[in-house]
Amino acid sequence: MTEGRKRRSLRLQAGRRLPSNKGAAPEGKKKMKGLTEDHLYLDYFNQNADCVFPLHTSISLFLLSYCDCKTFRVFLVLPGETASDAQPKDKVFPKDLDICFIKRCQLPLVVQSCCLPAVVEKNGRFCRAGLAVVLRHIVQKTYEADPSKEDILELLGFKKTCLKACAEVSEWTRLCEISIPQAVENFLSVSSDQVQSIPEEVLRFEKKLGEPVRVHNDDKIRRQKVQQQKTFVKEACKDVSSQEGRLAENLDSSPAELELSLALSKLTVQKTPVAAKREPSHIRKMKTSELPLLEHVFAEGLYFTLADVVLFPCIHHFLGFSKKHQENLLRLPLISSWFQRVQEVPGIKRAAAKCNMQFLPHQGSVSLSDEHMQFICTASDEPEEEHEDTSFIGGPRPTMTKLMKRGIEATFSPHPCPSWALDWDSLPAAVNPGEGKMSSDRAFRKQQQLNNMVALVKKLAKPGDKIVDFCSGGGHVGIVLAHVLPSCQIILVENKELSLTRAEERSSVLGLDNIWFIQANMDYFKGNFNIGVALHACGVATDMVIERCVKAHAAFVISPCCYGFIQNTAKFAFPQSHQFKEVLSYKEHMILCRFADQTAVQLPPERRQIGKHCMGLVDLDRAWGVEKCNYSAQVISMEPETCSPKNNLIVGVPI
């Protein structure tokens, strides 16, 4: 054994020498405040050949290798309570990473509230959880450590938005972050000798690769493509007899030649743009509808992004497992071509070698059959439209009248403490929302909104309670609660990094030690808590908060917002209560939601009154819907109502 391998073997074994007392921290955890690096926690269930399960862990390790990132100390979390529960094979893990194995009970408390992967900053209070959030953080930290790695930063795509939208609202993020990894894991769990159908999620990716590409300079590139195609045809026809064979050979690859050259120019060190001359006048005059569509080179279009890094290990393991069943590969010609292109991206083979990923021999290009082209053109992920409701009459008044005839009207419970208010002048400046960039008028109204939230939470809270501020934004609610309820633990959960970073800065100024910050989609927070709060949770985010509180059997105080964004999702179907379902169709309920957004102060008073009534009906449906889960729920108006156009509060308490 070489000296290097000896050192690595000792390091891995040392990670298993775990303290026997439950809740003890891994080496270095006791001195969290003195750490100089972030800690990355990954699940470790088992491994098979070159695949580490769960696939989220394989993906994370692959990205670390691709970025050549040494910023993190990596902890693989064993499923059981003893180190002997798993027998990891050293060769599967990247050889240049500092990896240690720990037991689940040794996770920091803030991480125990989250799904892995998760990253904890060296201060121990700021946690990032969920695959997309963690991977984006790895990319950003790599670039911060070495600004010359601009190619790594470009993994985040145009405007740095790749996989930024949360999986609850983005079908693409959900497909990359959740659906395909889970589907491939399920596929790999069956014996390779058993014939399986291709997972639906993989077929959706195949369909995605066959769809036209849309980019920010779409029109310009499509006109360049017209010119390129005309040049290709012109040159090919100069001598048909002598070049007939070569023309037939090149026709298949010619349409995507421009797209491929654009993609390759982006990946080169010089980043030399594709040379583009001014198009002839007849091409400039072409209508947009007449221009050829752009074809996929990589997962999100023309350029290599983080989505390709996420999907590459998944597809690698899927194709390797399917090698005995070539019919599967024949049904995925676009994925096969994409997989080969990704292998040629600089750094991919190096990263794969570090992770001991063994590629299959290239089988050559697979042509698209007529049947496959029809699948790409006709397959749809969109749900079927509902049959036309012949009794439907547009506008809010007929819908409200229909409810009224069944005895359903917007009713608001009395505010339990309408005159209660914080003494803002006596509070530290960092507690005051006016310390931000908002105007004095808006800051005053924000104080009034916080008075309502804090008053209701104080009536529910007990010493030692955990209170979660969902969709916390800059922490206006959570920071006030942490200050006025020092005996409670406050947890801020927010998807936007910049907002949460500002909240942490305000907290540091105040010296608060009873507050945690978790950057994650709501689904990745799994901790137990006593009270959930949310101020102006947008659209179905309100329903997600209610659902999360019900699962934890926690009380909640929620102010909904953006009613116009409410729609049926994979999780929620509207209306929610049986009382509303008996009267309204989905389409009629959506009318209420759209008009509930019409409460802006500049609208005529009668219009605002209708909007307020629609708000009350939508939230009444929510309140009645949660009562079937053994909750007492009521809808209250903030005091004064002028503090916000969206001034409803839904308060729920488990019975």
Side-chain angles (χ1 to χ4, degrees):
M1 181 182 292
T2 65
E3 186 64 28
R5 290 191 64 183
K6 284 181 180 177
R7 286 197 299 269
R8 173 155 178 80
S9 178
L10 287 171
R11 185 168 69 243
L12 288 174
Q13 291 174 18
R16 299 194 191 101
R17 294 195 193 118
L18 306 172
S20 59
N21 55 314
K22 189 172 182 179
E27 185 179 353
K29 172 66 180 68
K30 294 179 182 178
K31 300 180 181 179
M32 180 67 76
K33 292 183 179 179
L35 290 175
T36 58
E37 57 190 358
D38 292 350
H39 284 184
L40 171 60
Y41 297 92
L42 304 171
D43 273 319
Y44 178 83
F45 296 162
N46 56 68
Q47 60 194 64
N48 181 16
D50 60 347
C51 181
V52 178
F53 294 96
L55 280 179
H56 278 189
T57 296
S58 284
I59 294 166
S60 302
L61 293 173
F62 182 74
L63 178 65
L64 287 169
S65 297
Y66 177 74
C67 295
D68 195 23
C69 179
K70 310 294 194 306
T71 307
F72 303 92
R73 187 178 183 193
V74 181
F75 292 88
L76 295 184
V77 184
L78 300 172
E81 296 301 324
T82 63
S84 61
D85 287 344
Q87 297 296 328
K89 299 174 184 176
D90 191 3
K91 67 177 183 177
V92 174
F93 304 108
K95 300 176 177 57
D96 52 354
L97 290 180
D98 182 14
I99 296 178
C100 185
F101 289 84
I102 66 171
K103 297 182 292 186
R104 188 160 297 275
C105 64
Q106 293 179 283
L107 285 170
L109 290 177
V110 66
V111 180
Q112 291 182 23
S113 298
C114 303
C115 295
L116 303 185
V119 171
V120 177
E121 288 190 355
K122 48 184 174 286
N123 63 19
R125 298 193 310 163
F126 198 117
C127 175
R128 293 171 173 84
L131 184 67
V133 167
V134 167
L135 296 187
R136 287 177 56 85
H137 182 62
I138 291 173
V139 169
Q140 290 165 342
K141 294 292 283 188
T142 301
Y143 177 71
E144 289 174 11
D146 185 357
S148 67
K149 294 184 176 181
E150 294 184 12
D151 57 323
I152 299 299
L153 187 63
E154 286 178 356
L155 288 175
L156 300 183
F158 181 61
K159 293 187 177 180
K160 307 296 181 285
T161 57
C162 181
L163 302 185
K164 186 176 182 179
C166 59
E168 292 91 346
V169 298
S170 168
E171 289 186 7
W172 174 241
T173 300
R174 187 169 189 83
L175 184 68
C176 296
E177 183 181 30
I178 300 173
S179 303
I180 287 182
Q182 285 184 352
V184 173
E185 279 186 26
N186 294 336
F187 189 86
L188 299 180
S189 66
V190 180
S191 171
S192 60
D193 295 327
Q194 183 175 336
V195 179
Q196 299 183 71
S197 58
I198 299 175
E200 179 186 349
E201 294 79 3
V202 175
L203 291 174
R204 284 172 58 196
F205 180 40
E206 176 77 6
K207 175 184 177 293
K208 173 77 174 177
L209 292 174
E211 294 173 352
V213 172
R214 296 188 181 277
V215 291
H216 66 283
N217 55 346
D218 176 282
D219 188 86
K220 180 180 179 180
I221 298 176
R222 290 167 67 187
R223 293 185 192 280
Q224 291 177 16
K225 185 169 183 175
V226 174
Q227 186 173 4
Q228 183 195 61
Q229 288 177 339
K230 290 183 179 294
T231 302
F232 176 81
V233 173
K234 183 177 179 181
E235 291 179 355
C237 293
K238 284 181 180 178
D239 188 356
V240 176
S241 59
S242 62
Q243 299 186 23
E244 184 175 358
R246 185 154 56 95
L247 175 62
E249 181 181 341
N250 292 337
L251 274 175
D252 288 339
S253 59
S254 62
E257 186 177 336
L258 176 67
E259 291 92 321
L260 189 57
S261 62
L262 281 167
L264 293 176
S265 71
K266 190 88 171 178
L267 292 170
T268 57
V269 176
Q270 296 82 7
K271 297 183 177 59
T272 306
V274 177
K277 299 179 181 178
R278 184 174 173 83
E279 298 88 1
S281 60
H282 68 281
I283 294 180
R284 294 198 303 272
K285 293 177 181 177
M286 289 180 67
K287 297 179 180 178
T288 302
S289 59
E290 298 172 342
L291 298 175
L293 300 173
L294 300 178
E295 300 175 28
H296 275 263
V297 178
F298 295 112
E300 291 197 344
L302 303 183
Y303 306 122
F304 184 72
T305 66
L306 186 59
D308 295 282
V309 179
V310 172
L311 295 171
F312 184 76
C314 299
I315 299 302
H316 164 73
H317 296 304
F318 169 76
L319 294 178
F321 198 76
S322 302
K323 60 187 177 183
K324 293 184 180 180
H325 309 289
Q326 290 297 314
E327 63 275 10
N328 278 353
L329 304 183
L330 294 176
R331 291 187 60 194
L332 302 171
L334 298 179
I335 286 180
S336 298
S337 299
W338 165 85
F339 185 69
Q340 295 301 326
R341 279 194 295 272
V342 173
Q343 290 183 48
E344 300 307 317
V345 171
I348 287 294
K349 289 183 177 178
R350 171 181 52 79
K354 287 183 179 181
C355 297
N356 199 40
M357 294 170 63
Q358 305 294 325
F359 294 135
L360 294 173
H362 182 33
Q363 301 296 323
S365 59
V366 182
S367 59
L368 296 178
S369 65
D370 293 339
E371 179 183 356
H372 194 79
M373 287 299 296
Q374 185 178 7
F375 160 74
I376 292 173
C377 295
T378 59
S380 173
D381 296 327
E382 298 297 324
E384 293 183 9
E385 292 189 7
E386 296 181 352
H387 295 293
E388 190 67 27
D389 184 359
T390 55
S391 63
F392 173 75
I393 303 176
R397 293 184 187 277
T399 304
M400 290 190 294
T401 301
K402 193 173 180 181
L403 289 168
M404 198 179 304
K405 288 180 178 178
R406 298 290 292 270
I408 300 175
E409 295 188 61
T411 54
F412 296 90
S413 299
H415 200 298
C417 36
S419 59
W420 188 92
L422 287 161
D423 184 3
W424 291 98
D425 293 335
S426 67
L427 296 177
V431 176
N432 198 320
E435 289 300 301
K437 296 182 179 180
M438 60 181 67
S439 65
S440 58
D441 178 60
R442 186 183 171 201
F444 178 67
R445 286 186 281 110
K446 183 63 70 176
Q447 288 177 351
Q448 293 176 322
Q449 297 165 25
L450 293 174
N451 287 337
N452 283 269
M453 299 289 294
V454 175
L456 293 170
V457 172
K458 279 177 68 71
K459 287 181 69 66
L460 297 170
K462 304 181 299 297
D465 276 356
K466 283 187 178 180
I467 303 173
V468 182
D469 180 9
F470 292 101
C471 309
S472 66
H476 293 312
V477 178
I479 287 175
V480 174
L481 290 175
H483 183 77
V484 302
L485 297 172
S487 63
C488 294
Q489 177 70 42
I490 312 300
I491 305 171
L492 274 60
V493 178
E494 168 61 47
N495 179 256
K496 297 181 179 63
E497 181 179 23
L498 182 59
S499 299
L500 209 55
T501 301
R502 288 173 179 166
E504 186 189 27
E505 291 170 355
R506 291 174 60 195
S507 165
S508 298
V509 171
L510 293 165
L512 298 173
D513 60 2
N514 62 330
I515 188 167
W516 288 342
F517 306 88
I518 297 178
Q519 184 197 349
N521 299 342
M522 216 176 299
D523 279 350
Y524 290 110
F525 176 77
K526 63 176 184 179
N528 292 322
F529 58 99
N530 306 98
I531 303 172
V533 301
L535 177 58
H536 292 155
C538 184
V540 294
T542 289
D543 306 281
M544 292 169 61
V545 174
I546 293 175
E547 179 196 48
R548 188 66 193 83
C549 291
V550 169
K551 283 184 178 179
H553 204 59
F556 58 81
V557 179
I558 302 170
S559 171
C561 191
C562 304
Y563 293 80
F565 288 163
I566 294 173
Q567 61 180 347
N568 280 350
T569 67
K571 282 189 170 186
F572 305 108
F574 297 90
Q576 295 186 330
S577 67
H578 70 87
Q579 295 96 323
F580 273 69
K581 286 179 180 178
E582 290 175 353
V583 183
L584 298 185
S585 66
Y586 170 67
K587 195 170 183 179
E588 289 170 324
H589 192 77
M590 289 302 100
I591 289 292
L592 293 179
C593 295
R594 302 301 177 265
F595 278 87
D597 260 350
Q598 301 195 21
T599 54
V601 293
Q602 62 266 32
L603 293 173
E606 184 182 4
R607 188 88 164 269
R608 295 204 305 270
Q609 186 177 2
I610 293 175
K612 174 67 173 176
H613 196 78
C614 290
M615 278 174 52
L617 289 169
V618 173
D619 291 335
L620 180 63
D621 173 55
R622 286 165 157 162
W624 282 354
V626 79
E627 285 181 349
K628 65 186 177 186
C629 302
N630 294 323
Y631 267 71
S632 169
Q634 54 187 334
V635 182
I636 301 171
S637 277
M638 289 185 184
E639 292 289 345
E641 290 190 5
T642 54
C643 68
S644 172
K646 299 296 181 287
N647 50 32
N648 279 6
L649 291 165
I650 308 175
V651 182
V653 179
I655 300 174

